[in-house]
Amino acid sequence: MDTDKSTDDSEAVVTVSCFKNPIIPGFNPDPTITRKGNDYFLATSSFEYFPGVPIYHSKDLIKWRVIGHALNRPSQLDLRGTALSGGVFAPTLRYIQKTDTFYMTTTIFHLLNPPDNSTITPRSLIVSTRNIFDDNAWSDPIYVDHAGFDPDLFFDDDGTTYLSTGLGSTDLGYQDSGFSAIWTTQIDLRTGNSLVESKFQVASPFTNIQLAEAPHLFKHGGKYHLLTADSGTENNHKTMHYTADSPFGPWKSNPNNPLLFNGRNASQPVLATGHADLIQTPSGDWYAVFLATRPQNPPNSAGYPQLGRETFLAPASWTSDGWLKINDGKDITLDMPGLYKLDRPKIWRDDFRGKFTDKGWYTQRTPYKQFHKFVNGGLRLFGNVYTLDDRETPAAFFRKQEDLSVVFSTQLDFTPTSPRHEAGITVFLSIWYHNEVGLTLHPETKVRTVFVKTRTGPMAELKTIYAPTAEAGPVNLFIKAEPNQYSLGYSVGGGNVTYLATVENRWLQSYVQGWQNFVGTHFGVYSLAGRLPMLILADFKYVQTQLL
């Protein structure tokens, strides 16, 4: 808190520092956090995107930078054919000072119902590293015996390692446990083998929907504590807290439960608060990281959060009788007291000077082979036989949309020789809902043309618009994102931008009946061969985002 005096010295003007949520904007759900000395490390889910499990680093809990990924090679993560919103679910990241080692555990869903006819209950994996800044240092996975998802690792004072997961339990003798309850076992960290029988811990007390997941087991004040996420990951999402004298319970529910639940007031601009993890600073302060959404058009429960589930922060504290509170029981807001405010960069740019400028680029699923190289003119893509509609890996690189009001742009040089060929930029949610502006050969005139493709409506109906340009050479492409819509356009030379179509934001956070969606919107660059190999090259000079 800073105190300044006015010019006549008659009164004090009090300025309270604050920070802005989300602390990691864009598609960054299910955050988990740990600390080594003065360095904080945070990981999130990545679903069907590769590499998997981004690792963020910060010195102050506000300014974060992605430093790598825990699952970054095919021997760790094979996502070929994985359903949209399948793949890598919630991780847990922990640092053990005694061995100077980081451990990450997560679950990979290769089949997911819906859209697949069945869901195979996965076995979680554990990877480790002693150098978290080096992607190559992460180990290959060790798989555990215990089933379930959203795994958690807890290392007790005596060196015992506990693994907890969410697991459907109605067929295991717990008829009133809903879709998922929390189970815990003791494991051998070297092999993943269970050392004791798995034990039922808690079920959700809520009925809409009854689901407990995302366990985090830890010790504080001589007691064991358990955090869970309840009621699904939409607007009824919550965080619950329990305490016990043993890591296997019996568990007492915190009288302040739920600790996070903005859904009490659906008119708020922040909703779906839950899936929390805790961190203590070197000075002894406590904070919670958790996911939440920012619905738009309108900014309440009637809107759509096109950026997906993002990472938020709030102060935490302990009562005198040992119960946890988050944000002192108050609802989570976009502006929070404490720490400091960090402004978003007005312009971000990647000129592809021999490499990507950061580690924020992704492919859909695990690529079979490299489909790009860096040239003097920027990034060169070699279109492959897959399209953006396929449960595969097209020749495309994606970045998370981090700002609601921003222009994503590039300069593309591409000379197609068939209407099958296309290259451009995309605003992408899923294989159903994605929208492009780019270059192709007109199917009737066989002249190079700018096109826009949009997909809207409950069945993602495709609409294509052509805007022929006879000029050879590069074309500038633009996607203008606003809270309520996306506009797709182009320009030639130094001319003004011509926007050809708009798409309402709701179609960047939707899913076709029989499918589901857990991810957020991405921008991307791509080149498609149209089912057959293509020798034509697509050169992207740069990629830029600029705040509106």
Side-chain angles (χ1 to χ4, degrees):
M1 179 179 291
D2 300 321
T3 303
D4 300 321
K5 291 190 174 181
S6 61
T7 53
D8 63 3
D9 212 31
S10 61
E11 60 179 342
V13 177
V14 179
T15 303
V16 179
S17 60
C18 69
F19 66 92
K20 291 194 72 69
N21 271 319
I23 56 167
I24 308 181
F27 165 59
N28 285 287
D30 309 326
T32 174
I33 190 168
T34 194
R35 177 174 63 83
K36 177 183 177 180
N38 294 318
D39 294 278
Y40 301 95
F41 300 92
L42 184 150
T44 67
S45 301
S46 49
F47 292 88
E48 69 263 37
Y49 286 89
F50 184 90
V53 189
I55 306 294
Y56 293 89
H57 170 249
S58 176
K59 288 282 191 179
D60 57 15
L61 295 173
I62 297 298
K63 187 175 183 179
W64 294 91
R65 177 177 67 93
V66 62
I67 58 170
H69 297 80
L71 304 177
N72 55 74
R73 53 187 184 269
S75 63
Q76 299 171 307
L77 181 60
D78 183 354
L79 295 174
R80 290 167 186 149
T82 299
L84 64 157
S85 291
V88 181
F89 275 44
T92 293
L93 181 66
R94 294 291 180 257
Y95 172 70
I96 305 304
Q97 184 177 7
K98 184 177 180 180
T99 59
D100 190 25
T101 303
F102 292 88
Y103 292 91
M104 192 284 298
T105 181
T106 190
T107 314
I108 302 171
F109 282 85
H110 294 286
L111 293 178
L112 189 68
N113 184 10
D116 301 312
N117 291 330
S118 65
T119 296
I120 296 177
T121 302
R123 295 168 73 168
S124 299
L125 60 85
I126 301 169
V127 293
S128 62
T129 183
R130 298 188 71 179
N131 183 2
I132 199 169
F133 290 95
D134 180 5
D135 272 0
N136 296 324
W138 283 100
S139 69
D140 277 343
I142 295 170
Y143 288 89
V144 302
D145 289 337
H146 180 79
F149 64 101
D150 290 5
D152 172 76
L153 286 174
F154 165 59
F155 303 90
D156 208 347
D157 299 335
D158 61 1
T160 304
T161 302
Y162 296 90
L163 175 81
S164 302
T165 67
L167 182 65
S169 308
T170 56
D171 60 346
L172 295 173
Y174 297 89
Q175 296 300 317
D176 298 324
S177 58
F179 288 96
S180 172
I182 306 304
W183 289 71
T184 298
T185 188
Q186 181 183 331
I187 67 167
D188 182 336
L189 193 59
R190 298 168 301 169
T191 64
N193 295 344
S194 291
L195 301 178
V196 300
E197 291 286 338
S198 300
K199 298 185 183 299
F200 181 91
Q201 297 277 52
V202 297
S204 175
F206 304 101
T207 58
N208 187 21
I209 58 175
Q210 190 178 12
L211 189 156
E213 56 188 339
H216 286 309
L217 185 62
F218 62 102
K219 199 172 185 179
H220 173 69
K223 294 278 189 178
Y224 292 90
H225 300 266
L226 178 65
L227 293 177
T228 67
D230 283 51
S231 304
T233 194
E234 296 186 349
N235 290 344
N236 279 326
H237 202 201
K238 307 172 182 71
T239 288
M240 301 286 285
H241 171 236
Y242 305 86
T243 187
D245 294 320
S246 159
F248 290 114
W251 296 96
K252 297 179 182 178
S253 178
N254 189 328
N256 302 306
N257 279 332
L259 301 190
L260 287 171
F261 181 39
N262 269 33
R264 296 185 187 93
N265 179 359
S267 68
Q268 298 186 92
V270 176
L271 292 171
T273 49
H275 203 119
D277 199 6
L278 285 180
I279 194 68
Q280 187 178 25
T281 70
S283 61
D285 296 323
W286 288 83
Y287 287 90
V289 294
F290 51 94
L291 71 83
T293 61
R294 292 183 288 167
Q296 304 296 315
N297 192 26
N300 54 45
S301 63
Y304 291 81
Q306 61 263 37
L307 270 59
R309 299 171 297 164
E310 306 175 274
T311 293
F312 281 60
L313 179 75
S317 59
W318 296 92
T319 65
S320 58
D321 50 356
W323 293 113
L324 179 66
K325 299 184 80 173
I326 297 177
N327 201 35
D328 200 30
K330 299 189 290 286
D331 287 340
I332 302 302
T333 57
L334 295 173
D335 294 297
M336 300 284 289
L339 301 174
Y340 70 95
K341 180 180 178 181
L342 179 67
D343 291 329
R344 295 285 303 153
K346 295 189 184 317
I347 295 178
W348 174 90
R349 186 178 175 102
D350 194 336
D351 288 302
F352 306 123
R353 293 175 180 170
K355 62 180 182 179
F356 290 120
T357 193
D358 63 20
K359 295 187 176 182
W361 290 97
Y362 297 87
T363 62
Q364 277 272 294
R365 303 170 187 83
T366 310
Y368 289 82
K369 59 186 292 188
Q370 186 168 302
F371 51 74
H372 75 289
K373 73 175 182 178
F374 297 98
V375 297
N376 288 337
L379 173 66
R380 175 167 291 171
L381 294 187
F382 308 92
N384 63 34
V385 298
Y386 300 120
T387 75
L388 297 175
D389 300 332
D390 293 329
R391 282 174 59 160
E392 265 298 348
T393 304
F397 287 105
F398 300 89
R399 293 187 65 84
K400 301 170 184 181
Q401 181 187 344
E402 298 177 342
D403 299 287
L404 290 164
S405 300
V406 67
V407 175
F408 179 81
S409 63
T410 191
Q411 185 179 93
L412 170 64
D413 196 356
F414 179 63
T415 307
T417 58
S418 166
R420 291 185 291 103
H421 302 163
E422 67 176 75
I425 58 176
T426 179
V427 54
F428 185 96
L429 176 70
S430 69
I431 62 174
W432 289 102
Y433 291 99
H434 53 92
N435 308 279
E436 290 76 52
V437 56
L439 291 169
T440 189
L441 214 63
H442 195 286
E444 296 174 0
T445 65
K446 303 301 188 289
V447 173
R448 192 182 81 151
T449 179
V450 172
F451 72 89
V452 166
K453 292 182 178 180
T454 60
R455 293 162 181 84
T456 60
M459 293 304 296
E461 181 180 349
L462 171 64
K463 181 180 180 181
T464 304
I465 299 172
Y466 297 102
T469 171
E471 297 185 40
V475 173
N476 305 310
L477 304 175
F478 302 85
I479 298 176
K480 180 170 67 172
E482 299 172 276
N484 65 321
Q485 66 181 17
Y486 294 82
S487 303
L488 298 96
Y490 75 102
S491 71
V492 177
N496 294 329
V497 181
T498 299
Y499 286 103
L500 300 175
T502 60
V503 177
E504 194 177 358
N505 75 305
R506 66 178 298 180
W507 304 119
L508 273 304
Q509 194 56 219
S510 297
Y511 55 90
V512 172
Q513 185 176 359
W515 297 69
Q516 56 185 320
N517 176 65
F518 294 139
V519 302
T521 298
H522 289 65
F523 294 121
V525 295
Y526 75 97
S527 177
L528 305 181
R531 305 293 181 186
L532 294 172
M534 177 177 70
L535 303 181
I536 307 303
L537 308 174
D539 289 343
F540 296 85
K541 186 175 182 180
Y542 64 87
V543 158
Q544 178 175 288
T545 60
Q546 183 170 1
L547 296 183
L548 292 172

